[in-house]
Amino acid sequence: MKEKQRREGNSADYRTGYENSAGYGNGAGYGNNTGSSGDHVSYYSSASGGPYGASGGGNISGGSDRRSGKRPKKKKKRSRVGDVISMIVMAAAFCVFVYAGYTLYGYYKEYKKADDEYASLEDYVNDETETEDLDALEEAFEEAEDSGDEDALAQLISGREVRTVTVDGEEVTLPVMESPIDFASLKEVNSDIVGWLKIRALDLSYPVVQGEDNDYYLHRSFEQEELFAGCLFVHYENESDFSDQNTVIYGHNMKNGSMFGSLKKFRDEEVYKTSKFFWIYTEDVIYMYRIFSARVVNKVGQPYQIVFSDEEFEEFLTTAMEESEVDNSNVTVSTDDKVVTLSTCTGDSATRFVVQGKLTQMYAVKK
């Protein structure tokens, strides 16, 4: 009897445990399970919560239901915020891209405009009329100067045709040289022209003007049109005939190497060895300059001074020689020399890069 009761009791316990056990009915894995996922319906529950327990989406504590409740909504909210942030980032990136493209296109237009204008001015330069062998002439002057042989220097200009011209208010007789520059036609374009600069080592060839101040040609072309590249111009306080102790010529450091963008190449000794001179052509006189210094300087100070006392000028020349980035060991300068300083910016608002040459020889333009 007791045995039968035990069996019946066990059977009832079994059914209760089966229906409400940890694995079924209202058990931990499915029905009212604590800590399990509500994505599942109890194997033994009906859709209406039948006798075998509630659905797995029922009163679950600590579970996660992706189909109902507040938590999925929070995820959607976070997703919407993320989408908005992504859209903002993409819009900002697009704006940056458009702005960069517009800026680059603006630069391209400015550079092309400058290239086209100055290329057209080459029509006023006829190199075929320049019969002088400048390579041989520069080499001969370099050797004569480096050796200090005054007779050799004199020999370089002896026997030439001569012509008397006015320089610095005085009449002087000079050897004659052909000029390739058509100044008469250039003056019809712009009467402010004072010369034409050629730096053979850099393949640089541009007209040089002089305005009433140092601002007018900063962003105006030779044809006096608005142009970021501007024009090469002489300091407005200088004499227009390059007769000052120090004549300063300014030009922009353009990224494509135009204007004075290539001056910094003189830091390369091989470039400097190609040609250690630059030339300035004027309507009546051709000036030949020997480069003795290339360096970074302060944007104000002696490199931009025009008139000096003998003591100041000696200090000016000594500093230029000592700070030079090019080899000037064989060059001699003195307070009797006339200097031209070519100046451009460096990217640092406090400094400038300059190339300086001393007047070596003058020639009268052959008429």
Side-chain angles (χ1 to χ4, degrees), residues 82-288:
D83 290 343
V84 171
I85 293 174
S86 296
M87 290 176 65
I88 291 173
V89 172
M90 290 177 65
F94 178 75
C95 289
V96 170
F97 175 78
V98 171
Y99 177 76
Y102 177 79
T103 302
L104 288 173
Y105 178 67
Y107 285 147
Y108 167 77
K109 285 182 64 178
E110 282 294 313
Y111 281 123
K112 188 176 187 306
K113 183 179 178 181
D115 288 344
D116 289 346
E117 175 171 327
Y118 286 108
S120 69
L121 293 179
E122 290 294 330
D123 293 340
Y124 301 101
V125 181
N126 185 2
D127 290 325
E128 293 182 0
T129 64
E130 192 172 50
T131 58
E132 193 74 46
D133 185 347
L134 297 183
D135 282 326
L137 188 62
E138 288 182 0
E139 184 178 352
F141 264 98
E142 182 181 345
E143 291 177 356
E145 280 196 314
D146 291 351
S147 65
D149 189 342
E150 296 291 337
D151 291 335
L153 284 171
Q155 186 65 31
L156 288 172
I157 58 176
S158 66
R160 283 176 172 266
E161 177 186 348
V162 296
R163 178 168 169 253
T164 300
V165 294
T166 301
V167 177
D168 194 16
E170 297 182 1
E171 288 190 345
V172 294
T173 300
L174 299 173
V176 169
M177 179 183 286
E178 296 275 4
S179 173
I181 313 299
D182 182 359
F183 278 98
S185 298
L186 286 168
K187 280 191 171 183
E188 292 179 3
V189 179
N190 187 348
S191 60
D192 286 340
I193 188 170
V194 294
W196 189 285
L197 173 67
K198 291 185 72 172
I199 307 179
R200 299 175 63 249
L202 305 178
D203 195 25
L204 186 154
S205 180
Y206 288 109
V208 180
V209 296
Q210 186 176 34
E212 295 182 355
D213 54 43
N214 285 342
D215 294 326
Y216 185 79
Y217 284 106
L218 193 62
H219 296 300
R220 279 188 177 86
S221 68
F222 179 76
E223 296 179 359
Q224 301 185 25
E225 295 181 358
E226 292 290 333
L227 184 68
F228 180 78
C231 189
L232 302 188
F233 62 93
V234 173
H235 192 291
Y236 77 101
E237 293 180 324
N238 274 123
E239 295 295 330
S240 60
D241 60 359
F242 305 94
S243 59
D244 288 317
Q245 288 173 292
N246 182 35
T247 300
V248 183
I249 301 177
Y250 299 97
H252 282 297
N253 179 14
M254 301 302 289
K255 292 183 179 180
N256 66 348
S258 61
M259 308 313 290
F260 277 171
S262 60
L263 278 189
K264 55 184 174 291
K265 289 184 178 181
F266 274 119
R267 286 173 161 167
D268 184 344
E269 195 69 23
E270 293 306 311
V271 173
Y272 178 57
K273 288 178 180 178
T274 302
S275 173
K276 300 178 181 179
F277 297 82
F278 61 82
W279 298 76
I280 295 178
Y281 296 83
T282 68
E283 195 167 13
D284 291 312
V285 181
I286 300 172
Y287 301 90
M288 179 184 187

